[in-house]
Amino acid sequence: MAASTDRRPSGGSPDELIDITTTSVGRDTLAVTYRSFLDQVSFRGRFRVLVTIDPAYPLRPGELAATRDFLTRLPREHPQVAEVVVEELPRQVGLQGALSILFAHTTSQVGVHLEDDWEFTAPVDLDALIADLYEQDCTQIVFGNAHVARGGTFERPGESQPVPGTRVELVRLTATSWAANYLPLCPHLHRTDRWVPMVARALALTDGLACPDERVRERVVAEAATRRHRVLWTRSVVARDIGRQWLAARGGHRSLTAAHTVRREPEPVTRPLGNPPLRLHRSLAMRARAETVIPGMTQTYQKRPVNFADGDYPVYLERGSGTVVWDVDGNAYVDFVLALGAATLGYDHPAVSNTLRERLGRGVLLSLPAPAEVTAAEELAACVPGVEAVRFLKSGAEACSAAVRLARHRTGRDLVLLAGYHGWHDQLAGPSAGVPAVAAELGRRYELRADADDERFLEAVRRDGRRTAAVLLSTPYHRVLDPEFLRALRDACDQAGCLLVCDEIVTGFRLAPGGLAEAYGVRADLLCLSKGLAAGMPLAAVAGRREVMADFAGLRVSTTFGGELLSLEVMKAALREYRRPGYYERLAALGRRLRDGVNAHARAAGLGDVLVGYDPMPCLRLAADPATHERRAHRFVAELARRGFLLRRDVNFVSTVHTEGQIDQAVAAAAEALPPVREIR
């Protein structure tokens, strides 16, 4: 290779001073990074350390102070460190802003960039690498790390090639490697006159919501600058990523923008004195427009005004943040409807929104399967006990229909016994307008309104089980099923040779990851999941043991959008949130707080208990008679809406984003709304 025209002399000198740049959030992993680097590096010169501290993540008490103290003591502890310059920022500026500040401080011809969450595990001969940097005429030499190496980047044939004649064993990536054309921001050595202008230009000219590494790669390609910005890697793995451990230990989520750093405090909801009737002019006008172009006015039956308090309740919501939503007339509410239970993490949760921002630039749907399908299935299987294989779909009804088809294929039987609501498809809806009678006869529906209904359902399974393909169960919401009933149902299915399919569309990731079946310790042959599966993104799944699920490979169960990338990536982010310590315990505790508080006031008003059912999903029951309940519920949810709270007339939901204060405010509002409800007959 021809020598560079601006070759630097080989090796360094004892007087040489080079910059180490680090963008940090103040976490204590920075000390691990610097101590391990300085212990492993061999360099004749000295270092000038440049650090920004960007308040992007919540830290443990004292963690930031410990990091500041470490940086202050660094020159005394390590004589090779000549100076430390720290820019502690008053607000989050993001990676682009932090790098811009560092670039303004940079003065050395050669630089080292260290992120604050790596540990060096092997020697680094920096003098030799600096010589190689110039003699090979490259912009950057990346310190080989376990994070990249474990993906097979340097192991698959043809993706990398050795570089002959170097002091340190180096490799270059070929065009077949996914990492070709990258100027990675992971720990590396660079030529400042090349690396800094390229990165600064790329971050200034590309989409600020995309992944920074990809933004730089995009600009290198756009400027046809690959040959100029040659990148080499050390063949040896000398560092490992410890940032993921840090995030996992704190239950954190990735931060991409200043607006989506960490979970925000809930916005207050205020109401005029006296709680006057809601102003709903824009809602009503929008409804009139919808009724001319959307049959039924909306896409979801349960969102129709008739299911709430028609005329006294908002019709259209415009946006949501945390647990607060705003209608089109500007009224704010604490929401216990939570998108019919799908918004398990509330609205605009950083784990969801940041994932969408990060992944959107990669496309939404591709022409061939994407790795996200595999990794999402693996993560779901790891999260839900008893699940070994997964098929993704888009709605709960699709998942239930697919499970029924699989059961019919495995058993050679057609009859399905249904308990609860499982979607609108012909074989699940029962006798209904537009459903062929022959289809309705193949799915027999049973209601589990009371304990006696449980026994009748068991009798039906025992009687008809040997000609039944599957028993499809979704729990009622107004009563808690007896675990003995679930165990008896499991035994009856085993004796009959039919599949027990647990519809956990609503209960999955709410009662437990695997819903009611997991909470009660009952083995389901198949689980149907949706709603909370991806925290409100459109995704559903059929999941179960590999032996049962394997038959899907030979069935015509297919959907173009099952591999849609954004929902799969959000699902993975949501599962990480659900795994945070105490997640399900907090859900249950908040639900009990709401239920017990409202019921105390209801008993005082002579109504008895009006919130019943499972802890995380209290169900409103204002009378045993359905007609009386409907009239009372209309008045109750209308009164709560006037006071700034949205509830349904039946099942309601809490999320871990709700606060105890919001729960207590809702209880106080219920105390005012309940007395007039008692008079309604």
Side-chain angles (χ1 to χ4, degrees), residues 35 52 57 76-77 101 122 145-146 220 229 261 264 280 371 386 407 459 505 509 538 543 597 610 628 672:
R35 285 192 177 111
T52 55
Y57 291 103
R76 297 196 299 271
E77 292 184 0
I101 293 170
N145 58 77
V220 169
H229 293 296
T261 302
R264 298 176 298 281
L280 301 171
E459 290 173 1
I505 304 301
F509 309 103
V610 299
T628 304
E672 297 176 359

Side-chain angles (χ1 to χ4, degrees), residues 515-663:
L516 185 71
E518 180 184 344
Y520 280 10
V522 174
R523 173 181 55 83
D525 294 300
L526 294 172
L527 295 175
C528 298
L529 302 164
S530 189
K531 291 193 184 285
L533 177 63
M537 288 292 288
L539 189 67
V542 183
R545 289 179 293 117
R546 189 173 295 107
E547 173 196 357
V548 178
M549 292 288 295
D551 284 350
F552 267 125
L555 293 181
R556 187 66 65 86
V557 174
S558 176
T559 172
T560 297
F561 299 104
E564 178 258 304
L565 299 175
L566 296 183
S567 295
L568 294 174
E569 294 292 352
V570 167
M571 185 208 80
K572 293 190 287 185
L575 294 185
R576 290 191 287 273
E577 289 296 308
Y578 301 151
R579 287 196 294 267
R580 293 177 67 177
Y583 175 84
Y584 293 99
E585 291 80 3
R586 175 167 170 77
L587 267 186
L590 288 171
R592 284 194 300 272
R593 190 183 188 107
L594 178 64
R595 184 187 62 204
D596 293 349
V598 171
N599 284 343
H601 292 298
R603 289 192 293 271
L607 287 165
D609 289 347
V610 299
L611 280 182
V612 295
Y614 299 94
D615 288 343
M617 37 195 288
C619 185
L620 189 62
R621 269 290 182 272
L622 287 161
D625 171 57
T628 304
H629 165 75
E630 186 173 326
R631 290 191 293 271
R632 287 179 170 179
H634 178 118
R635 176 68 179 272
F636 182 71
V637 300
E639 291 294 329
L640 266 290
R642 286 175 58 191
R643 290 163 171 80
F645 301 92
L646 292 190
L647 277 80
R648 294 178 69 189
R649 299 193 315 200
D650 45 24
V651 64
N652 293 278
F653 304 96
V654 295
S655 82
T656 56
V657 186
H658 280 108
T659 66
E660 286 81 358
Q662 289 176 328
I663 299 291

Side-chain angles (χ1 to χ4, degrees), residues 158-241:
E159 289 198 20
S160 65
Q161 295 176 346
V163 180
T166 57
R167 291 167 173 77
V168 177
E169 189 178 4
L170 301 175
V171 296
R172 71 174 186 86
L173 299 178
T174 67
T176 60
S177 171
W178 67 271
N181 302 316
Y182 276 86
L183 299 182
L185 292 173
C186 59
H188 68 268
L189 172 73
H190 59 254
R191 285 184 51 173
T192 304
D193 62 336
R194 292 188 183 181
W195 185 76
V196 166
M198 186 71 248
V199 172
R201 190 162 60 251
L203 295 180
L205 296 176
T206 53
D207 179 8
L209 297 179
C211 170
D213 274 329
E214 291 194 349
R215 293 164 64 190
V216 177
R217 175 182 179 274
E218 172 189 327
R219 201 65 211 160
V220 169
V221 173
E223 296 183 8
T226 303
R227 290 178 65 86
R228 172 170 172 76
H229 293 296
R230 192 170 189 236
V231 176
L232 303 181
W233 300 65
T234 66
R235 184 68 182 89
S236 298
V237 172
V238 300
R240 68 185 186 95
D241 182 356

Side-chain angles (χ1 to χ4, degrees), residues 49-337:
V49 173
L50 309 174
V51 177
T52 55
I53 297 180
D54 190 355
Y57 291 103
L59 302 175
R60 294 178 307 186
E63 187 170 8
L64 179 57
T67 300
R68 289 194 200 104
D69 183 60
F70 168 77
L71 290 170
T72 300
R73 291 184 288 104
L74 192 55
R76 297 196 299 271
E77 292 184 0
H78 289 273
Q80 273 194 293
V81 177
E83 182 185 8
V84 174
V85 177
V86 179
E87 289 271 11
E88 188 168 344
L89 308 175
R91 62 175 179 82
Q92 186 193 0
V93 300
L95 180 63
Q96 179 173 331
L99 282 173
S100 298
I101 293 170
L102 290 177
F103 292 166
H105 282 288
T106 300
T107 59
S108 65
Q109 186 178 2
V110 176
V112 171
H113 182 72
L114 302 179
E115 293 175 306
D116 70 346
D117 50 8
W118 292 79
E119 181 180 16
F120 283 80
T121 56
V124 175
D125 188 341
L126 198 60
D127 288 314
L129 285 172
I130 291 172
D132 286 336
L133 182 74
Y134 276 84
E135 290 183 5
Q136 296 299 321
D137 193 24
C138 48
T139 294
Q140 188 172 352
I141 296 178
V142 184
F143 301 133
N145 58 77
H147 177 61
V148 175
R150 71 167 178 247
T153 300
F154 300 103
E155 307 300 332
R156 288 187 290 265
E159 289 198 20
S160 65
Q161 295 176 346
V163 180
T166 57
R167 291 167 173 77
V168 177
E169 189 178 4
L170 301 175
V171 296
R172 71 174 186 86
L173 299 178
T174 67
T176 60
S177 171
W178 67 271
N181 302 316
Y182 276 86
L183 299 182
L185 292 173
C186 59
H188 68 268
L189 172 73
H190 59 254
R191 285 184 51 173
T192 304
D193 62 336
R194 292 188 183 181
W195 185 76
V196 166
M198 186 71 248
V199 172
R201 190 162 60 251
L203 295 180
L205 296 176
T206 53
D207 179 8
L209 297 179
C211 170
D213 274 329
E214 291 194 349
R215 293 164 64 190
V216 177
R217 175 182 179 274
E218 172 189 327
R219 201 65 211 160
V220 169
V221 173
E223 296 183 8
T226 303
R227 290 178 65 86
R228 172 170 172 76
H229 293 296
R230 192 170 189 236
V231 176
L232 303 181
W233 300 65
T234 66
R235 184 68 182 89
S236 298
V237 172
V238 300
R240 68 185 186 95
D241 182 356
I242 58 174
R244 286 161 179 76
Q245 297 172 354
W246 187 91
L247 284 175
R250 290 155 178 76
H253 32 259
R254 194 160 185 180
S255 168
L256 294 181
T257 70
H260 292 84
T261 302
V262 295
R263 185 180 293 114
R264 298 176 298 281
E265 289 298 315
E267 300 196 36
V269 173
T270 58
R271 278 286 179 274
L273 293 176
N275 300 306
L278 292 169
R279 293 177 56 84
L280 301 171
H281 306 306
R282 294 188 65 192
S283 256
L284 297 177
M286 185 70 69
R287 175 180 180 176
R289 291 167 56 188
E291 287 171 343
T292 67
V293 292
I294 302 174
M297 197 213 84
T298 182
Q299 321 309 317
T300 308
Y301 176 79
Q302 289 296 333
K303 292 184 180 181
R304 292 181 183 180
V306 69
N307 293 308
F308 296 96
D310 199 357
D312 301 301
Y313 197 92
V315 183
Y316 288 92
L317 297 179
E318 192 166 48
R319 62 188 177 94
S321 176
T323 55
V324 178
V325 291
W326 286 262
D327 67 22
V328 293
D329 289 277
N331 303 303
Y333 312 85
V334 175
D335 186 16
F336 293 100
V337 181

